[in-house]
Amino acid sequence: MTDARQTTTPDDDRAAPGPVPAATSAPAASGGWLGSYALLAVMWGCSFAFIALALDALTPIQVAFWRIAVGAVTLLVIAAVTRTPLPRDARTLGHLTVLALLVNAVPFTLFALGQQSVSSVLAGIINAATPLTTLLWVALFFRAERPGPARASGLVLGFLGLLVVMGVWHGLGTGQLSGVLACVGAITCYGLGFPYTRKFLSGTPYPPVALAAGQIGIAAVVMTPVVLVSGVAPVGEVTTAVVVAVLALGVLSSGVAFILNFRVIARAGTTTASSVTYLTPVVAAAVGVLFLGDHVTWNQPVGAVVVLLGVAIAQGRLGRGRAGTGRRRPSLR
């Protein structure tokens, strides 16, 4: 695998609901990625609806645990089938433990907690602001990445968009406010995962499947005592819809989607792969309205557009030529 220090671009400062990749490489081939890209957007966009369905019978901690456990089994099976050895050295396992908390255990639990009082639509839109929290953490981790005027203005615009999404002028009830704060806490964890990975796992000799399986496997181990203490008995009727939702969250959103993400990166580059961020809130809103009966107020799509515009400005996408052709930045380590 090519050392990420040689290929990192500002577009690597993205985040997504799945495991954080430890390194990215330049496109290895052209074409053949659109199907994977579309599936990726659908899987991650639908995850918020799946969480809402799972909460009909499970507590937030149970939702997070079963999502992680099923995802771990999926990735471990993929690793076994592909004969991919898992990380064994203490250094890598230590960093994967940190990532298991930052990218899996804590944010998965927080999103499930948040969706007890906010809709899947609102949670999906808040998730679209993940690149903003990533850029903030990158500015703290890497001195070479201090935000200039354009990036700073994009960050400010993006967070103003979040206020529009939430409709703060109406005031927020205690329940909705706690739900929003939980979702914001989740994307703050996601945002820290990327610079942490770039700083401590760049250039690792382990392939993505090994790192993903190790990371989510550790997350499953971490969550096991938590769910045992909080309670393993469902709080509602475990219907077919609940089972399907949990399996979809684990197998698809936390397992297969990770593999698709790396396929798009390999074939289309990080710029194209990171743009899936723009599609997931659209999918989340469509699924929430069509299948869950969620309602969308005018300020939510308007605020979402403002958030995504802020993300685009902060990432330097506006005014750029063909994706992936921009000048590469020097090493960030």
Side-chain angles (χ1 to χ4, degrees):
M1 178 178 295
T2 305
D3 191 326
R5 290 174 293 181
Q6 300 172 354
T7 61
T8 302
T9 72
D11 298 304
D12 293 324
D13 304 330
R14 61 184 177 81
V20 175
T24 58
S25 58
S30 60
W33 56 269
L34 280 175
S36 297
Y37 180 89
L39 285 174
L40 190 60
V42 171
M43 287 179 185
W44 279 339
C46 289
S47 63
F48 304 99
F50 294 144
I51 291 172
L53 289 172
L55 285 170
D56 286 341
L58 305 176
T59 67
I61 290 177
Q62 290 168 353
V63 171
F65 169 76
W66 286 113
R67 174 181 183 176
I68 290 169
V70 175
V73 171
T74 301
L75 287 168
L76 288 172
V77 168
I78 292 174
V81 170
T82 57
R83 297 183 180 180
T84 303
L86 299 180
R88 295 179 180 274
D89 62 282
R91 176 185 178 276
T92 301
L93 290 175
H95 291 313
L96 288 179
T97 300
V98 174
L99 288 175
L101 292 170
L102 286 177
V103 185
N104 302 117
V106 176
F108 287 0
T109 302
L110 287 176
F111 263 122
L113 281 169
Q115 284 192 237
Q116 288 186 309
S117 54
V118 303
S119 69
S120 62
V121 174
L122 183 54
I125 294 174
I126 292 174
N127 184 70
T130 299
L132 299 178
T133 61
T134 302
L135 290 169
L136 285 176
W137 286 116
V138 166
L140 295 175
F141 265 77
F142 305 108
R143 294 181 179 179
E145 288 289 298
R146 299 300 184 193
R151 177 169 290 188
S153 63
L155 291 172
V156 172
L157 183 62
F159 284 112
L160 289 176
L162 276 180
L163 297 180
V164 174
V165 167
M166 292 183 286
V168 292
W169 54 89
H170 296 306
L172 296 175
T174 303
Q176 185 178 15
L177 178 60
S178 63
V180 168
L181 290 177
C183 293
V184 171
I187 67 171
T188 301
C189 291
Y190 283 155
L192 179 56
F194 268 79
Y196 185 92
T197 302
R198 291 168 59 189
K199 186 175 182 65
F200 297 109
L201 287 175
S202 292
T204 176
Y206 298 104
V209 171
L211 293 172
Q215 177 181 316
I216 297 191
I218 292 172
V221 173
V222 170
M223 286 297 295
T224 297
V226 177
V227 76
L228 289 175
V229 171
S230 66
V232 296
V235 293
E237 181 184 358
V238 181
T239 62
T240 301
V242 171
V243 174
V244 170
V246 170
L247 290 176
L249 278 172
V251 176
L252 301 179
S253 299
S254 303
V256 176
F258 178 77
I259 306 301
L260 293 177
N261 187 37
F262 273 95
R263 179 177 297 176
V264 175
I265 290 173
R267 297 185 178 182
T270 53
T271 297
T272 298
S274 65
S275 67
V276 75
T277 302
Y278 296 86
L279 298 180
T280 51
V282 177
V283 175
V287 172
V289 170
L290 293 175
F291 298 102
L292 300 181
D294 289 338
H295 298 286
V296 178
T297 57
W298 69 267
N299 56 293
Q300 290 178 339
V302 170
V305 170
V306 175
V307 168
L308 296 177
L309 179 61
V311 170
I313 294 173
Q315 290 185 332
R317 291 180 181 276
L318 298 185
R320 177 182 295 176
R322 188 179 63 183
T325 59
R327 178 176 61 86
R328 289 177 177 172
R329 299 175 69 92
S331 169
L332 297 179
R333 289 188 70 185

